[in-house]
C-alpha cells in the first residue's frame, strides 16, 4: 500500500527542517540510522522502539513545563499533560498490577536513586548484587551515588553454578542487617526468585526493592516470576525489553507513594519530560497487547537457540545457559578477551558489549566475556532460523586466525540477514 498522506506530509517535513537548520546534526542522525539498520544488534539492554513511541517522544510535549503531579502542578496550561501523565500511570498500574506508580524518573538510575532517597537515611545499609557478578552501577558501585551515600554490602553468584545462592544471600542479610535489599541485575541470564528475596527481606526487617530494568518486558508478558506483588518497591527502565523510550519508572505499595513522589519531585528532579512520559504511555499500551507478548516469547526462544548453538560451538556460558533474553559468554576457554571479541564482532557487523564474568581475573576495561541479548533482533523480526545463522557467524568470527577475506564474507552474510528485515522503512 502507498504511504499514508499523513506520513508523507509529516515525516519528510520534519526531517527536511532539521537538515535545513542543522545539516551537520541531521547528517549524524542519518549515519546513526544507517548504523542501526546495518548491524545485528545484540546488546542485551537495547531495543528498537515502535514508531508510535518515536512519534510521542518527538512531540510538542517537549515544550511544556509541568512541575508537580497531575492536578497539582506549579505551572498553568497543564490540562492536557495532566491527562497524558494520568494515562501513563493508569496503563502502567494495569500492566504490572501495581498499587502506585510514578512515571517521572528520567532514567533507571534516577528511579533507583529516588527509592533510596525515599526509604533510606544517609549511611544506611543496602544489600545488592556485586557489579562484577551482574549488578548495576546504582547497586553500590563505590564511585556511584549509591556507593558514596550508603553502606553497601553485596552478594554474588555461586562459583560452581553461576547462579544466585539464596541461602548465602540470607546468611549475609542476617549478618549485615541491611535496611534495603536490592534484587535484579544487568547481566544475569537466569530467572530470579523474587518471592525468596521477599522472604529474606522480611526475615531481617529490610525493605525489598526489585530493579527489573532488564526483564520488565518479560514480566509484563508473564514470562518471568512477578516482582511487583512481593516487593515494597520495583524500579525499571522503559527502553530495554519493554521497548519504550529511554526512561525510568517506580512502582510501589500505596503506603510508600507519598515518600516516593516527594523523592522524585522535588527531591531529585524539576520538570518532568512530558514528551517522554507520553512515549511511556504509548509503550505501556503496546506492552499489553498479544503481539507484544508473542514478541517477548520469541525473544526468550531466540536467546535459547543462540545459547544452544554457541555452546555446541565450544563457547562456555555463565550458569550453562539462559532462561531470559540474555546470555553471558565466558571466552576464557577459546583464548580471546571480551574487548577483543567485541571488536572482532563489530568488524563483521554484530554489536555486543564486553562484560565481566563472575570471578573475572581481567579488569572491566578488558573482561573475559561478552553479554549477548536478543530483544532488538527479535523486534527486528529474527526467529529461530536467523538465530542459527547469527550463531554460526559469531562462532566463525571468534575462531582463531580469521582472515580479512573471511571477515568480509561474514560481513556479507550479516548484510544478507539484515536485508530481509528493514528497519524504520518510513524514515
Ligand atoms: N538498573 C539496571 C538493572 C540496569 O541494567 C540499568 C541500565 O543498564 C539501569 C538500572 C539504569 O538505567 P539508565 O541507564 O536508564 O540510568
Amino acid at each position: 500500500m502507498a504511504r499514508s498522506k499523513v506520513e508523507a506530509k509529516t515525516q519528510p517535513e520534519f526531517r527536511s527542517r532539521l537538515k535545513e537548520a542543522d545539516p551537520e546534526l541531521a547528517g549524524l542522525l542519518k549515519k546513526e540510522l544507517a548504523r542501526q539498520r546495518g548491524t545485528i544488534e545484540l546488546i542485551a539492554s537495547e531495543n528498537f522502539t515502535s514508531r508510535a513511541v518515536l512519534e510521542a517522544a518527538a512531540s510538542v510535549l517537549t515544550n511544556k513545563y509541568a512541575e508537580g503531579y497531575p492536578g497539582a502542578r506549579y505551572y498553568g496550561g497543564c490540562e492536557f499533560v495532566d491527562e497524558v501523565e494520568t494515562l501513563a500511570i493508569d496503563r502502567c498500574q494495569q500492566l504490572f498490577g501495581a498499587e502506585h506508580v510514578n512515571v517521572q524518573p528520567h532514567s533507571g538510575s534516577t528511579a533507583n536513586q529516588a527509592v533510596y532517597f525515599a526509604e533510606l537515611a544517609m549511611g544506611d545499609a543496602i544489600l545488592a548484587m556485586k557489579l562484577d557478578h551482574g549488578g548495576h552501577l546504582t547497586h553500590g558501585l563505590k564511585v556511584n551515588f549509591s556507593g558514596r551515600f550508603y553502606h553497601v554490602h553485596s552478594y554474588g553468584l555461586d562459583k560452581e553454578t553461576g547462579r544466585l545462592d539464596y541461602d548465602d544471600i540470607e546468611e549475609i542479610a542476617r549478618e549485615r542487617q541491611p535496611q534495603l535489599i536490592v534484587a535484579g541485575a544487568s547481566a544475569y541470564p537466569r530467572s530470579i526468585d523474587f518471592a525468596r528475596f521477599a522472604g529474606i527481606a522480611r526475615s531481617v526487617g529490610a525493605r525489598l526493592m526489585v530493579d527489573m530494568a532488564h526483564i520488565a518486558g518479560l514480566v509484563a508478558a508473564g514470562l518471568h516470576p512477578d516482582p511487583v506483588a512481593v516487593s515494597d518497591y520495583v524500579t525499571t527502565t522503559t527502553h530495554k525489553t519493554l521497548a519504550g523510550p529511554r526512561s525510568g519508572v517506580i512502582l510501589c505499595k500505596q503506603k510508600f507513594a507519598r515518600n516516593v513522589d516527594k523523592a522524585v519531585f522535588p527531591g531529585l528532579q524539576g520538570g518532568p519530560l512530558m514528551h517522554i512520559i507520553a512515549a511511556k504511555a504509548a509503550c505501556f499500551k503496546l506492552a499489553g497487547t498479544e503481539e507484544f507478548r508473542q514478541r517477548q516469547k520469541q525473544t526468550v526462544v531466540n536467546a535459547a537457540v543462540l545459547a544452544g548453538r554457541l555452546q555446541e560451538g565450544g563457547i562456555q556460558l555463565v550458569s550453562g545457559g539462559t532462561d531470559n533474553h540474555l546470555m553471558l559468554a565466558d571466552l576464557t576457554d577459546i583464548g580471546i578477551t571480551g574487548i577483543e571479541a567485541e571488536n572482532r564482532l563489530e568488524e563483521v557487523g554484530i554489536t555486543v558489549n564486553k562484560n565481566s564474568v563472575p570471578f573475572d581475573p581481567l579488569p572491566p576495561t578488558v573482561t573475559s566475556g561478552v553479554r549477548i541479548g536478543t530483544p532488538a533482533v527479535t523486534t527486528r523480526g529474527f526467529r529461530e532460523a536467523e538465530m542459527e545463522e547469527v550463531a554460526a557467524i559469531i562462532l566463525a568470527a571468534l575462531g582463531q586466525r580469521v582472515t580479512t577475506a573471511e571477515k568480509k564474507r561474514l560481513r556479507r552474510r550479516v548484510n544478507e540477514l539484515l536485508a530481509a528485515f528493514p528497519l524504520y522503512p518510513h524514515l
Side-chain angles (χ1 to χ4, degrees):
M1 203 185 82
R3 287 178 167 204
S4 81
K5 274 185 186 158
V6 176
E7 232 174 84
K9 260 188 185 165
T10 53
Q11 295 300 336
E13 166 80 353
F14 176 75
R15 281 189 298 156
S16 70
R17 285 296 160 89
L18 183 62
K19 209 167 153 188
E20 204 177 282
D22 191 344
E24 190 183 1
L25 178 62
L28 290 173
L29 298 195
K30 203 171 158 194
K31 280 185 187 167
E32 172 57 17
L33 176 60
R35 189 198 65 79
Q36 291 187 16
R37 283 177 173 158
T39 49
I40 293 179
E41 183 53 74
L42 292 177
I43 291 180
S45 51
E46 293 192 8
N47 212 329
F48 299 116
T49 200
S50 61
R51 282 182 64 179
V53 166
L54 278 183
E55 216 172 286
S59 69
V60 293
L61 270 62
T62 194
N63 299 333
K64 190 71 199 97
Y65 246 115
E67 281 180 3
Y69 288 100
R73 305 282 189 187
Y74 292 85
Y75 288 80
C78 286
E79 60 270 38
F80 300 117
V81 291
D82 271 7
E83 283 191 48
V84 168
E85 186 165 345
T86 304
L87 206 55
I89 292 168
D90 290 348
R91 287 176 178 173
C92 187
Q93 267 179 310
Q94 206 177 340
L95 184 65
F96 292 110
E99 288 181 21
H100 179 74
V101 165
N102 187 308
V103 293
Q104 291 195 5
H106 298 332
S107 72
S109 296
T110 323
N112 288 350
Q113 195 176 6
V115 170
Y116 295 175
F117 202 32
E119 180 59 40
L120 303 169
M122 291 284 216
D124 274 356
I126 64 170
L127 172 60
M129 193 168 180
K130 286 178 190 158
L131 185 69
D132 55 355
H133 284 211
H136 184 252
L137 309 173
T138 54
H139 299 178
L141 180 74
K142 266 202 171 67
V143 297
N144 184 263
F145 78 90
S146 53
R148 294 182 63 177
F149 299 168
Y150 306 103
H151 206 73
V152 179
H153 303 290
S154 50
Y155 57 86
L157 301 180
D158 180 83
K159 201 164 186 173
E160 292 304 308
T161 62
R163 293 176 185 242
L164 291 166
D165 176 345
Y166 297 94
D167 291 337
D168 185 52
I169 297 168
E170 187 163 20
E171 207 176 304
I172 302 171
R174 226 179 276 132
E175 213 171 278
R176 303 296 184 179
Q177 296 288 313
Q179 275 76 32
L180 182 72
I181 296 180
V182 179
S186 293
Y188 187 61
R190 295 298 183 176
S191 287
I192 301 178
D193 186 346
F194 295 126
R196 182 76 200 274
F197 264 108
I200 295 171
R202 250 195 324 273
S203 75
V204 298
R207 303 272 192 226
L208 176 64
M209 179 188 107
V210 171
D211 178 345
M212 65 167 180
H214 260 267
I215 52 168
L218 306 185
V219 170
L223 298 172
H224 189 286
D226 173 34
V228 179
V230 298
S231 315
D232 298 298
Y233 305 93
V234 174
T235 57
T236 185
T237 54
T238 46
H239 49 271
K240 298 186 170 82
T241 45
L242 208 46
R246 184 159 297 282
S247 198
V249 168
I250 302 170
L251 304 87
C252 67
K253 295 283 182 278
Q254 191 57 44
K255 62 183 172 184
F256 306 120
R258 225 176 107 76
N259 279 355
V260 161
D261 289 351
K262 263 172 55 187
V264 175
F265 173 85
L268 289 167
Q269 296 181 180
L273 310 177
M274 290 315 308
H275 54 309
I276 300 300
I277 289 176
K280 281 184 256 194
C283 150
F284 299 141
K285 177 162 191 188
L286 294 171
T289 61
E290 186 51 32
E291 189 190 334
F292 181 85
R293 268 187 290 279
Q294 289 307 326
R295 178 145 45 95
Q296 298 299 308
K297 257 192 200 166
Q298 190 66 46
T299 301
V300 175
V301 168
N302 282 353
V305 169
L306 182 58
R309 292 293 170 270
L310 292 181
Q311 284 174 305
E312 283 165 20
I315 291 188
Q316 296 273 352
L317 299 182
V318 172
S319 84
T322 175
D323 298 329
N324 58 24
H325 63 297
L326 70 83
M327 65 213 72
L328 197 52
D330 183 342
L331 306 168
T332 313
D333 287 356
I334 61 165
I336 179 170
T337 65
I339 183 72
E340 282 166 348
E342 183 186 305
N343 291 337
R344 186 90 67 83
L345 291 173
E346 191 156 9
E347 281 181 70
V348 302
I350 294 178
T351 319
V352 299
N353 64 285
K354 64 180 178 296
N355 212 101
S356 298
V357 297
F359 311 97
D360 203 323
L362 299 177
T365 46
V366 182
T367 79
S368 300
V370 285
R371 187 183 63 163
I372 304 174
T374 53
V377 285
T378 309
T379 299
R380 189 143 186 181
F382 284 20
R383 299 174 66 85
E384 290 90 324
E386 288 77 28
M387 296 321 294
E388 307 236 358
E389 171 68 347
V390 170
I393 297 171
I394 292 176
L395 289 167
L398 297 186
Q400 285 175 349
R401 290 191 292 277
V402 193
T403 61
T404 308
E406 174 65 0
K407 281 184 206 161
K408 273 193 186 148
R409 275 196 294 276
L410 293 174
R411 187 44 161 130
R412 271 201 296 278
R413 280 168 70 179
V414 164
N415 291 346
E416 276 161 26
L417 259 182
L418 291 169
F421 302 94
L423 182 66
Y424 300 128
H426 67 292
L427 287 176

